[in-house]
Amino acid sequence: DYDRLLIATGTRARPWINREQAALDGVFTLRTRDDSSHLRTRLTSNPQHVLVIGGGFTGSEVASVCRELGLQVTLAERGPAPLSGALGQAAGNVAALWQRQHGVDLRCHVTDMALEGDTEGRLRRARLSDGDVLEIDVAVVALGAIRNVEWLNSAKLAVDARGVVCDASCRVFDEDGMLTDDIFVAGDIARWPSPFYDGMLLSVEHWGNAVEQAKIAGHNMVCDPSDRRPHKYLPAFWSNQLGVNIKSVGLPTIADEVVITQGTIEERRFVAAYGQNGLIVAAVAVNAPLWLPAYQALIEARAPFPPELHAA
């Protein structure tokens, strides 16, 4: 539903795409296995120019695949850098450098204003907010997700566009802030208090969290109340793009400091630690996945920042 997707991405000036534009032959989203199969078929048919709208993990990975296939690709990111929404601007600036080195036509602070097709309904061009008009035949929309909570609007629960609020045992709060005894939530729409971030309400759009939270919710639904368990999940993500493996743990976007603790950016093998108010809150590893568990332990222990590693 692109009207609702528009709201979720915060576009204020005008709709960048409508249903007519979305129906053009050559416009893709990436949500399901079928979406992936259709996009793969189109990309391997050697299109002339691909536009990727959105520079998060999905958009950056699609741009990476395009370059691996030798395709001309433009990535339009309305923020200051790709991946900055997930990893912070410092890491985003490094990602921007790598994308440009690999031939991605990266446009930051830019979004798509309109997609136009020919008389036969095939995508032909895109009008960008920087004034450029691109002749394209494939556009990939990668602007994130919205939470499917509209069906709960009349349920008198603590729910809004950010998700459904619950306690650590996954029991849902009602609209008056009272805990329900028989309603549980898990997955993308759940907002639970994290013990690693002073009870901050988190919602994580990743299958790993959904699986672990479902285990907790399922156990707590059937066990004796005295045997309920808390959900203690530290957000973690990974991505492979432009020849590098990126893994993160914690919440990089809340940090007010970042430092390279191991390796170097130049050799594309390093770990960056993130701090907030004197505590380590996140870490990002590039081509160094074996180093990350040690940082996860530090985050869970609420260790001071910068970390004392006693490591190479």
Side-chain angles (χ1 to χ4, degrees):
D1 187 330
Y2 289 99
D3 289 339
R4 289 188 293 139
L5 180 64
L6 173 69
I7 296 171
T9 57
T11 304
R12 292 185 294 271
R14 54 160 292 187
W16 64 267
I17 188 171
N18 55 35
R19 283 185 173 84
E20 181 179 349
Q21 295 174 57
L24 291 171
D25 180 21
V27 179
F28 294 85
T29 57
L30 196 54
R31 294 273 184 252
T32 68
R33 183 177 296 179
D34 286 344
D35 292 341
S36 177
S37 177
H38 296 327
L39 178 58
R40 177 186 178 88
T41 298
R42 180 57 68 91
L43 293 182
T44 54
S45 69
N46 197 32
Q48 296 301 305
H49 193 169
V50 179
L51 170 66
V52 180
I53 306 169
F57 279 123
T58 299
S60 294
E61 288 174 4
V62 171
S64 174
V65 169
C66 288
R67 293 306 302 143
E68 290 174 5
L69 295 172
L71 302 177
Q72 181 181 2
V73 58
T74 297
L75 192 155
E77 165 55 43
R78 64 177 186 165
L83 302 182
S84 59
L87 303 180
Q89 189 170 343
N93 290 339
V94 175
L97 174 64
W98 291 346
Q99 287 189 10
R100 291 184 169 119
Q101 288 176 343
H102 280 79
V104 177
D105 175 22
L106 175 63
R107 312 283 187 97
C108 296
H109 298 294
V110 171
T111 190
D112 174 67
M113 301 302 289
L115 299 176
E116 299 175 353
D118 59 21
T119 57
E120 297 181 0
R122 292 174 297 195
L123 178 65
R124 289 304 183 206
R125 66 190 60 84
R127 297 185 182 277
L128 303 184
S129 60
D130 62 1
D132 269 7
V133 178
L134 303 181
E135 299 297 321
I136 62 171
D137 43 4
V138 173
V140 182
V141 182
L143 289 177
I146 59 173
R147 292 170 176 82
N148 295 322
V149 295
E150 294 86 350
W151 64 285
L152 293 171
N153 286 341
S154 61
K156 297 185 178 180
L157 301 176
V159 56
D160 58 25
R162 296 170 295 176
V164 181
V165 181
C166 65
D167 72 352
S169 70
C170 303
R171 290 183 298 167
V172 174
F173 284 92
D174 68 18
E175 62 183 357
D176 295 320
M178 301 290 290
L179 268 176
T180 60
D181 290 326
D182 54 359
I183 304 176
F184 292 76
V185 64
D188 291 18
I189 69 169
R191 297 180 68 209
W192 83 97
S194 170
F196 308 118
Y197 300 105
D198 298 323
M200 178 192 302
L201 291 177
L202 299 184
S203 56
V204 176
E205 297 173 0
H206 195 272
W207 67 269
N209 173 70
V211 170
E212 295 304 316
Q213 196 168 29
K215 292 178 182 178
I216 296 295
H219 170 82
N220 292 341
M221 289 170 69
V222 299
C223 74
D224 185 273
S226 62
D227 192 34
R228 285 175 175 159
R229 302 170 185 168
H231 180 51
K232 296 182 177 181
Y233 182 83
L234 194 61
F237 299 90
W238 63 88
S239 177
N240 292 303
Q241 52 186 274
L242 302 175
V244 300
N245 171 260
I246 303 172
K247 289 191 174 184
S248 74
V249 63
L251 295 178
T253 53
I254 70 172
D256 50 36
E257 295 181 273
V258 61
V259 62
I260 302 296
T261 52
Q262 293 178 264
T264 66
I265 293 176
E266 289 72 22
E267 62 183 345
R268 297 196 179 190
R269 185 171 184 266
F270 65 90
V271 178
Y274 293 71
Q276 182 196 51
N277 297 329
L279 299 176
I280 181 171
V281 294
V284 174
V286 173
N287 287 336
L290 296 181
W291 290 341
L292 209 54
Y295 290 86
Q296 178 170 340
L298 291 173
I299 298 167
E300 292 174 345
R302 298 178 63 79
F305 181 88
E308 296 181 8
L309 299 175
H310 307 292

